[in-house]
Amino acid sequence: MKPQFHLPLSTYPDASSFAIIDNAIGLAKQNDAHLVASIPQVRIPQVHPPFPTVIDVETWRGQAERYSRDSGTSLREHVADAISETGFEVRIHGFEVREPFVYERFSEIAKCYDLSIVEASELSRQLPETLLFGSGRPLVLFPATSDYSRVDTIAVAWDGSATAARALSCARVFIERAIKVQVISITDDKDIDEANRALLISSLKHSGLDVDDVSIQAFGETATAAIQSAALERKADLLVAGGFGHSRLREFILGGVTRELLVKAELPVLLAH
């Protein structure tokens, strides 16, 4: 049974980049996965302002819907061009959805696939957040400047939490093809159960994996920056991390690894909640 990867492509108010299409195709091709691209035609509800306004609401509504349609056409054309060069098949799922329910609809669609592939940026942060909480599926974040390279070395951000364990389980499709796994833990950020951590490393080694034990200290950096630096220094191709280990409200108020990764991912990241 082949894995099923999902690529949600935004068409309004901002269109997804062509880079995320290329990255998704590369990731799916390496892992012998099917890839489905979801491309919406966004419909803007009619608005009847209670007071006179200088804005031509109907003209604006038409322009917004045309932008969504034109963006969808450009994305479809890029998919066609990309697969003609690679010989890889991408199925396209087109659908209509009313604003402001685009991300919620993406989340419903994502439930039908093994994971979703999205771009990490400040502008599009709401999409991966909605997918993490609404779909029950993991996602892979690609930095906006990233060009796909093979996933041979995987870094696992391990703090012993349930979300970290779930992320590790969701990453199995990649780990099975990996050459090396790095278990990265920050020892001055929170208490780490060392016995449990040693058991994890032993379990991964018993599965036949080459495993590096990486214990680091943040030294005043954020946990996100420290983990990514450690992974990049060791040439990791993918970082695996639990998403929103705290409540969503607490992450919003205090910040956290997940919220920072959504906008500052420096390498591809698999997140699971």
Side-chain angles (χ1 to χ4, degrees), residues 10 51 71 84 86 105 117 124 141-142 144 147 157 171 177 208 226 243 255:
S10 295
F51 304 104
S71 296
S84 69
T86 63
R105 182 60 182 144
I117 302 169
S124 62
L141 283 170
F142 273 94
D147 291 325
R177 297 172 181 268

Side-chain angles (χ1 to χ4, degrees), residues 117-135:
I117 302 169
V118 295
E119 200 164 61
S121 73
E122 183 66 47
L123 288 175
S124 62
R125 185 177 67 186
Q126 186 182 347
L127 174 57
E129 281 193 16
T130 304
L131 289 171
L132 269 179
F133 276 92
S135 72

Side-chain angles (χ1 to χ4, degrees), residues 43-269:
R43 300 298 182 189
I44 309 297
Q46 288 186 326
V47 178
H48 302 287
F51 304 104
T53 176
V54 296
I55 300 174
D56 187 337
V57 177
E58 281 303 303
T59 298
W60 168 80
R61 191 167 73 89
Q63 290 173 341
E65 292 190 353
R66 281 194 298 276
Y67 180 82
S68 174
R69 182 193 64 216
D70 293 345
S71 296
T73 299
S74 295
L75 293 168
R76 286 172 184 268
E77 290 175 349
H78 187 80
V79 170
D81 290 342
I83 62 178
S84 69
E85 295 175 1
T86 63
F88 183 79
E89 181 183 358
V90 177
R91 305 199 312 274
I92 293 183
H93 171 63
F95 62 99
E96 290 192 4
V97 60
R98 289 165 65 88
E99 181 69 17
F101 304 111
V102 180
Y103 293 159
E104 286 74 9
R105 182 60 182 144
F106 274 139
S107 182
E108 289 298 314
I109 294 169
K111 293 176 181 178
C112 303
Y113 301 99
D114 294 305
L115 59 82
S116 292
I117 302 169
V118 295
E119 200 164 61
S121 73
E122 183 66 47
L123 288 175
S124 62
R125 185 177 67 186
Q126 186 182 347
L127 174 57
E129 281 193 16
T130 304
L131 289 171
L132 269 179
F133 276 92
S135 72
R137 300 289 191 171
L139 59 85
V140 174
L141 283 170
F142 273 94
T145 57
S146 176
D147 291 325
Y148 176 76
S149 60
R150 290 183 57 84
V151 176
D152 292 324
T153 300
I154 295 175
V156 178
W158 184 258
D159 60 1
S161 66
T163 52
R166 171 164 167 72
L168 181 58
S169 177
C170 290
R172 181 166 182 166
V173 65
F174 305 114
I175 291 175
E176 286 177 344
R177 297 172 181 268
I179 296 173
K180 177 174 287 189
V181 174
Q182 305 160 355
V183 178
I184 302 177
S185 298
I186 302 178
T187 58
D188 60 347
D189 178 58
K190 62 170 67 174
D191 290 334
I192 302 293
D193 185 332
E194 290 298 338
N196 180 263
R197 187 172 179 279
L199 185 61
L200 169 68
I201 292 172
S202 174
S203 175
L204 291 171
K205 287 182 177 179
H206 191 71
S207 296
L209 293 167
D210 182 4
V211 184
D212 285 348
D213 180 349
V214 184
S215 293
I216 61 172
Q217 291 186 320
F219 293 116
E221 283 189 301
T222 65
T224 309
I227 290 168
Q228 291 195 102
S229 293
L232 289 168
E233 285 172 8
R234 291 163 179 80
K235 309 299 183 186
D237 304 303
L238 177 72
L239 174 63
V240 175
F244 290 105
H246 302 299
S247 71
R248 194 175 189 181
L249 177 61
R250 185 179 175 191
E251 288 264 354
F252 179 76
I253 295 172
L254 301 178
V257 171
T258 310
R259 190 164 290 276
E260 192 171 343
L261 281 172
L262 293 179
V263 298
K264 294 181 180 178
E266 297 177 27
L267 73 163
V269 181

